[in-house]
CSV table of all heavy atoms in Angstrom, one decimal:
chain,number,residue,atom,x,y,z
A,1,ILE,N,103.0,102.9,92.9
A,1,ILE,CA,104.4,103.2,92.9
A,1,ILE,C,105.0,103.1,94.3
A,1,ILE,O,106.0,103.7,94.6
A,1,ILE,CB,104.8,104.5,92.2
A,1,ILE,CG1,104.0,105.6,93.0
A,1,ILE,CG2,104.4,104.5,90.7
A,1,ILE,CD1,104.4,107.0,92.5
A,2,ALA,N,104.4,102.3,95.1
A,2,ALA,CA,104.8,102.2,96.5
A,2,ALA,C,106.2,101.6,96.7
A,2,ALA,O,106.7,100.8,95.9
A,2,ALA,CB,103.8,101.3,97.3
A,3,TYR,N,106.9,102.1,97.7
A,3,TYR,CA,108.2,101.6,98.1
A,3,TYR,C,109.2,101.7,97.0
A,3,TYR,O,109.8,100.7,96.5
A,3,TYR,CB,108.1,100.2,98.7
A,3,TYR,CG,107.3,100.2,100.0
A,3,TYR,CD1,105.9,99.9,100.0
A,3,TYR,CD2,107.9,100.6,101.2
A,3,TYR,CE1,105.2,100.0,101.2
A,3,TYR,CE2,107.2,100.6,102.4
A,3,TYR,CZ,105.9,100.4,102.4
A,3,TYR,OH,105.1,100.5,103.5
A,4,ASN,N,109.4,102.9,96.5
A,4,ASN,CA,110.5,103.2,95.6
A,4,ASN,C,111.3,104.3,96.3
A,4,ASN,O,111.2,104.5,97.5
A,4,ASN,CB,110.0,103.7,94.3
A,4,ASN,CG,109.6,102.5,93.4
A,4,ASN,OD1,110.4,101.9,92.8
A,4,ASN,ND2,108.3,102.2,93.4
A,5,ASP,N,112.1,105.1,95.6
A,5,ASP,CA,112.9,106.2,96.1
A,5,ASP,C,112.5,107.5,95.6
A,5,ASP,O,113.3,108.4,95.4
A,5,ASP,CB,114.4,106.0,95.8
A,5,ASP,CG,114.9,104.7,96.5
A,5,ASP,OD1,114.6,104.5,97.7
A,5,ASP,OD2,115.7,104.0,95.9
A,6,ILE,N,111.2,107.7,95.4
A,6,ILE,CA,110.7,108.9,94.7
A,6,ILE,C,110.5,110.0,95.8
A,6,ILE,O,109.9,109.8,96.8
A,6,ILE,CB,109.3,108.6,94.1
A,6,ILE,CG1,109.5,107.6,93.0
A,6,ILE,CG2,108.6,109.9,93.6
A,6,ILE,CD1,108.1,107.0,92.5
A,7,THR,N,111.1,111.2,95.5
A,7,THR,CA,111.1,112.3,96.4
A,7,THR,C,110.1,113.4,95.9
A,7,THR,O,109.7,114.3,96.7
A,7,THR,CB,112.5,113.0,96.5
A,7,THR,OG1,112.9,113.4,95.2
A,7,THR,CG2,113.5,112.0,97.1
A,8,PHE,N,109.7,113.3,94.6
A,8,PHE,CA,108.8,114.4,94.1
A,8,PHE,C,108.0,113.8,93.0
A,8,PHE,O,108.4,113.0,92.2
A,8,PHE,CB,109.7,115.5,93.5
A,8,PHE,CG,108.9,116.6,92.9
A,8,PHE,CD1,108.3,117.6,93.6
A,8,PHE,CD2,108.9,116.7,91.5
A,8,PHE,CE1,107.6,118.6,93.0
A,8,PHE,CE2,108.2,117.8,90.9
A,8,PHE,CZ,107.5,118.7,91.6
A,9,ILE,N,106.7,114.2,92.9
A,9,ILE,CA,105.8,113.8,91.9
A,9,ILE,C,105.4,115.1,91.1
A,9,ILE,O,104.9,116.0,91.8
A,9,ILE,CB,104.6,113.1,92.4
A,9,ILE,CG1,105.0,111.8,93.1
A,9,ILE,CG2,103.6,112.8,91.3
A,9,ILE,CD1,103.9,111.0,93.7
A,10,HIS,N,105.6,115.1,89.8
A,10,HIS,CA,105.3,116.3,89.1
A,10,HIS,C,103.8,116.6,89.1
A,10,HIS,O,102.9,115.7,89.1
A,10,HIS,CB,105.7,116.1,87.6
A,10,HIS,CG,105.9,117.4,86.9
A,10,HIS,ND1,104.8,118.1,86.3
A,10,HIS,CD2,107.0,118.2,86.6
A,10,HIS,CE1,105.2,119.2,85.7
A,10,HIS,NE2,106.5,119.3,85.9
A,11,ASN,N,103.5,117.9,89.0
A,11,ASN,CA,102.1,118.3,89.1
A,11,ASN,C,101.3,117.9,87.8
A,11,ASN,O,100.0,117.9,87.8
A,11,ASN,CB,102.0,119.8,89.2
A,11,ASN,CG,100.7,120.3,89.9
A,11,ASN,OD1,100.2,119.6,90.7
A,11,ASN,ND2,100.2,121.5,89.5
A,12,ASP,N,102.0,117.4,86.8
A,12,ASP,CA,101.3,116.9,85.6
A,12,ASP,C,100.4,115.6,85.9
A,12,ASP,O,99.7,115.2,85.0
A,12,ASP,CB,102.3,116.6,84.5
A,12,ASP,CG,102.7,117.9,83.8
A,12,ASP,OD1,102.1,118.9,84.0
A,12,ASP,OD2,103.7,117.8,83.0
A,13,ILE,N,100.6,115.1,87.1
A,13,ILE,CA,99.7,114.0,87.5
A,13,ILE,C,98.2,114.3,87.4
A,13,ILE,O,97.4,113.5,87.2
A,13,ILE,CB,100.1,113.5,88.9
A,13,ILE,CG1,99.5,112.1,89.1
A,13,ILE,CG2,99.6,114.4,89.9
A,13,ILE,CD1,99.9,111.4,90.4
A,14,LYS,N,97.9,115.6,87.4
A,14,LYS,CA,96.6,116.1,87.2
A,14,LYS,C,96.0,115.7,85.9
A,14,LYS,O,94.7,115.8,85.7
A,14,LYS,CB,96.5,117.6,87.5
A,14,LYS,CG,97.2,118.4,86.4
A,14,LYS,CD,97.2,119.9,86.7
A,14,LYS,CE,98.0,120.7,85.7
A,14,LYS,NZ,98.0,122.1,86.1
A,15,LYS,N,96.8,115.3,84.9
A,15,LYS,CA,96.3,114.9,83.6
A,15,LYS,C,95.7,113.6,83.6
A,15,LYS,O,95.0,113.2,82.6
A,15,LYS,CB,97.5,115.0,82.6
A,15,LYS,CG,98.1,116.4,82.4
A,15,LYS,CD,99.2,116.3,81.4
A,15,LYS,CE,99.9,117.7,81.2
A,15,LYS,NZ,101.0,117.6,80.2
A,16,LEU,N,95.9,112.8,84.6
A,16,LEU,CA,95.4,111.4,84.7
A,16,LEU,C,93.9,111.5,85.2
A,16,LEU,O,93.6,111.2,86.4
A,16,LEU,CB,96.2,110.5,85.7
A,16,LEU,CG,97.7,110.4,85.3
A,16,LEU,CD1,98.4,109.5,86.3
A,16,LEU,CD2,97.8,109.7,83.9
A,17,ARG,N,93.0,112.0,84.4
A,17,ARG,CA,91.7,112.3,84.8
A,17,ARG,C,90.8,111.1,85.2
A,17,ARG,O,89.8,111.3,85.8
A,17,ARG,CB,91.0,113.0,83.6
A,17,ARG,CG,91.6,114.4,83.2
A,17,ARG,CD,91.3,115.4,84.3
A,17,ARG,NE,91.8,116.7,83.9
A,17,ARG,CZ,91.7,117.7,84.7
A,17,ARG,NH1,91.2,117.6,85.9
A,17,ARG,NH2,92.2,118.9,84.4
A,18,GLN,N,91.3,109.9,84.9
A,18,GLN,CA,90.5,108.7,85.2
A,18,GLN,C,91.1,108.0,86.5
A,18,GLN,O,90.5,107.0,86.9
A,18,GLN,CB,90.6,107.7,84.1
A,18,GLN,CG,90.0,108.2,82.7
A,18,GLN,CD,88.6,108.6,82.8
A,18,GLN,OE1,87.8,107.9,83.4
A,18,GLN,NE2,88.3,109.7,82.2
A,19,LEU,N,92.1,108.6,87.1
A,19,LEU,CA,92.8,107.9,88.2
A,19,LEU,C,91.9,107.9,89.4
A,19,LEU,O,91.5,108.9,89.9
A,19,LEU,CB,94.1,108.6,88.5
A,19,LEU,CG,95.1,107.9,89.4
A,19,LEU,CD1,95.6,106.6,88.7
A,19,LEU,CD2,96.3,108.7,89.8
A,20,GLU,N,91.7,106.7,89.9
A,20,GLU,CA,90.8,106.5,91.1
A,20,GLU,C,91.6,105.9,92.3
A,20,GLU,O,91.2,106.1,93.5
A,20,GLU,CB,89.6,105.6,90.8
A,20,GLU,CG,88.7,106.2,89.8
A,20,GLU,CD,87.5,105.3,89.5
A,20,GLU,OE1,87.5,104.2,90.0
A,20,GLU,OE2,86.5,105.8,88.9
A,21,ILE,N,92.6,105.1,92.0
A,21,ILE,CA,93.4,104.4,93.0
A,21,ILE,C,94.9,104.8,92.9
A,21,ILE,O,95.5,104.7,91.8
A,21,ILE,CB,93.3,102.9,92.9
A,21,ILE,CG1,91.8,102.5,93.1
A,21,ILE,CG2,94.2,102.2,94.0
A,21,ILE,CD1,91.6,101.0,92.9
A,22,LEU,N,95.5,105.4,94.0
A,22,LEU,CA,96.9,105.8,93.9
A,22,LEU,C,97.6,105.3,95.2
A,22,LEU,O,97.1,105.7,96.3
A,22,LEU,CB,97.0,107.3,93.8
A,22,LEU,CG,98.4,107.9,93.8
A,22,LEU,CD1,99.2,107.4,92.7
A,22,LEU,CD2,98.3,109.4,93.8
A,23,ASN,N,98.6,104.5,95.1
A,23,ASN,CA,99.4,104.1,96.2
A,23,ASN,C,100.8,104.6,96.1
A,23,ASN,O,101.6,104.2,95.1
A,23,ASN,CB,99.4,102.5,96.2
A,23,ASN,CG,100.1,102.0,97.5
A,23,ASN,OD1,100.7,102.8,98.3
A,23,ASN,ND2,100.1,100.7,97.7
A,24,ILE,N,101.2,105.5,96.9
A,24,ILE,CA,102.5,106.2,96.9
A,24,ILE,C,103.2,106.0,98.2
A,24,ILE,O,104.2,106.7,98.5
A,24,ILE,CB,102.4,107.7,96.6
A,24,ILE,CG1,101.5,108.4,97.5
A,24,ILE,CG2,102.0,107.8,95.1
A,24,ILE,CD1,101.4,109.9,97.3
A,25,GLU,N,102.8,105.0,99.1
A,25,GLU,CA,103.4,104.9,100.4
A,25,GLU,C,104.8,104.3,100.2
A,25,GLU,O,105.2,103.8,99.2
A,25,GLU,CB,102.6,103.9,101.2
A,25,GLU,CG,102.6,102.5,100.8
A,25,GLU,CD,101.8,101.6,101.8
A,25,GLU,OE1,101.9,101.9,103.0
A,25,GLU,OE2,101.3,100.6,101.3
A,26,GLY,N,105.6,104.5,101.3
A,26,GLY,CA,107.0,104.0,101.3
A,26,GLY,C,107.9,104.7,100.4
A,26,GLY,O,109.0,104.2,100.0
A,27,ASN,N,107.6,106.0,100.0
A,27,ASN,CA,108.6,106.8,99.3
A,27,ASN,C,109.1,107.9,100.1
A,27,ASN,O,108.8,108.0,101.3
A,27,ASN,CB,107.9,107.3,98.0
A,27,ASN,CG,107.8,106.3,96.9
A,27,ASN,OD1,108.8,106.0,96.2
A,27,ASN,ND2,106.6,105.7,96.7
A,28,GLN,N,109.9,108.8,99.5
A,28,GLN,CA,110.5,109.9,100.3
A,28,GLN,C,109.8,111.2,100.1
A,28,GLN,O,110.4,112.3,100.1
A,28,GLN,CB,112.0,110.0,99.9
A,28,GLN,CG,112.8,108.7,100.2
A,28,GLN,CD,114.3,108.9,99.9
A,28,GLN,OE1,114.9,109.9,100.3
A,28,GLN,NE2,114.9,107.9,99.3
A,29,LEU,N,108.5,111.1,99.9
A,29,LEU,CA,107.7,112.3,99.7
A,29,LEU,C,107.4,113.1,101.0
A,29,LEU,O,107.1,112.4,102.0
A,29,LEU,CB,106.4,111.9,99.0
A,29,LEU,CG,106.5,111.3,97.7
A,29,LEU,CD1,105.1,110.7,97.3
A,29,LEU,CD2,106.9,112.3,96.6
A,30,SER,N,107.6,114.4,101.0
A,30,SER,CA,107.3,115.2,102.2
A,30,SER,C,106.0,116.0,102.0
A,30,SER,O,105.4,116.5,102.9
A,30,SER,CB,108.4,116.1,102.5
A,30,SER,OG,108.8,116.9,101.3
A,31,ALA,N,105.5,116.0,100.7
A,31,ALA,CA,104.2,116.7,100.5
A,31,ALA,C,103.7,116.1,99.1
A,31,ALA,O,104.4,115.5,98.4
A,31,ALA,CB,104.3,118.2,100.4
A,32,LEU,N,102.4,116.4,98.8
A,32,LEU,CA,101.8,115.9,97.6
A,32,LEU,C,101.7,117.0,96.5
A,32,LEU,O,101.6,118.1,96.9
A,32,LEU,CB,100.4,115.3,98.0
A,32,LEU,CG,100.4,114.3,99.1
A,32,LEU,CD1,98.9,114.0,99.4
A,32,LEU,CD2,101.1,113.0,98.6
A,33,PRO,N,101.7,116.6,95.3
A,33,PRO,CA,101.5,117.6,94.2
A,33,PRO,C,100.1,118.1,94.3
A,33,PRO,O,99.1,117.4,94.5
A,33,PRO,CB,101.7,116.8,92.9
A,33,PRO,CG,101.4,115.4,93.3
A,33,PRO,CD,101.9,115.2,94.7
A,34,SER,N,99.9,119.4,94.1
A,34,SER,CA,98.6,120.0,94.2
A,34,SER,C,97.6,119.5,93.1
A,34,SER,O,96.4,119.6,93.2
A,34,SER,CB,98.7,121.6,94.0
A,34,SER,OG,99.3,121.9,92.8
A,35,GLY,N,98.2,118.9,92.0
A,35,GLY,CA,97.4,118.4,90.9
A,35,GLY,C,96.5,117.3,91.4
A,35,GLY,O,95.4,117.0,90.8
A,36,LEU,N,96.8,116.6,92.5
A,36,LEU,CA,95.9,115.5,93.0
A,36,LEU,C,94.6,116.1,93.4
A,36,LEU,O,93.6,115.3,93.4
A,36,LEU,CB,96.6,114.9,94.2
A,36,LEU,CG,97.8,114.0,94.0
A,36,LEU,CD1,98.2,113.3,95.3
A,36,LEU,CD2,97.5,112.9,93.0
A,37,LEU,N,94.5,117.3,93.8
A,37,LEU,CA,93.2,117.9,94.2
A,37,LEU,C,92.2,118.0,93.1
A,37,LEU,O,91.0,118.1,93.3
A,37,LEU,CB,93.4,119.3,94.7
A,37,LEU,CG,94.3,119.4,96.0
A,37,LEU,CD1,94.7,120.9,96.3
A,37,LEU,CD2,93.5,118.8,97.2
A,38,ASN,N,92.7,117.8,91.8
A,38,ASN,CA,91.8,117.8,90.7
A,38,ASN,C,91.3,116.4,90.2
A,38,ASN,O,90.6,116.3,89.2
A,38,ASN,CB,92.5,118.5,89.5
A,38,ASN,CG,92.8,120.0,89.8
A,38,ASN,OD1,92.1,120.7,90.5
A,38,ASN,ND2,94.0,120.4,89.4
A,39,LEU,N,91.8,115.4,90.9
A,39,LEU,CA,91.5,114.0,90.5
A,39,LEU,C,90.4,113.4,91.3
A,39,LEU,O,90.2,113.7,92.4
A,39,LEU,CB,92.8,113.2,90.6
A,39,LEU,CG,94.0,113.6,89.8
A,39,LEU,CD1,95.2,112.7,90.0
A,39,LEU,CD2,93.6,113.7,88.3
A,40,PRO,N,89.7,112.4,90.6
A,40,PRO,CA,88.6,111.8,91.3
A,40,PRO,C,89.0,110.6,92.1
A,40,PRO,O,88.5,109.5,92.0
A,40,PRO,CB,87.7,111.3,90.1
A,40,PRO,CG,88.7,111.0,89.0
A,40,PRO,CD,89.8,112.0,89.2
A,41,LEU,N,90.0,110.8,93.0
A,41,LEU,CA,90.6,109.6,93.8
A,41,LEU,C,89.6,109.1,94.8
A,41,LEU,O,89.0,109.9,95.5
A,41,LEU,CB,91.8,110.1,94.5
A,41,LEU,CG,93.1,110.4,93.7
A,41,LEU,CD1,94.3,110.7,94.6
A,41,LEU,CD2,93.5,109.1,92.8
A,42,LYS,N,89.5,107.8,94.8
A,42,LYS,CA,88.6,107.1,95.8
A,42,LYS,C,89.5,106.4,96.8
A,42,LYS,O,89.0,106.0,97.9
A,42,LYS,CB,87.7,106.1,95.1
A,42,LYS,CG,86.7,106.7,94.1
A,42,LYS,CD,85.9,105.7,93.4
A,42,LYS,CE,84.9,106.3,92.4
A,42,LYS,NZ,84.1,105.3,91.7
């Protein structure tokens, strides 16, 4: 979802249990949702 105008990602992203690749660069995020800590991101 790179290079959009996203300022916040809901913590429900933790439900994506198979997510391994996440690109969120170029948005207006100042911090990450804590739910990412539960994901198997590579």
Side-chain angles (χ1 to χ4, degrees):
I1 54 172
Y3 293 96
N4 280 279
D5 294 320
I6 298 171
T7 59
F8 177 78
I9 297 177
H10 198 278
N11 208 31
D12 281 349
I13 195 173
K14 64 185 177 182
K15 296 178 181 179
L16 300 178
R17 295 292 185 181
Q18 303 299 319
L19 195 65
E20 296 182 348
I21 299 174
L22 177 62
N23 187 352
I24 54 178
E25 69 173 331
N27 281 285
Q28 299 185 42
L29 297 167
S30 52
L32 304 173
S34 60
L36 287 186
L37 295 167
N38 300 321
L39 298 182
L41 288 182
K42 297 179 180 178

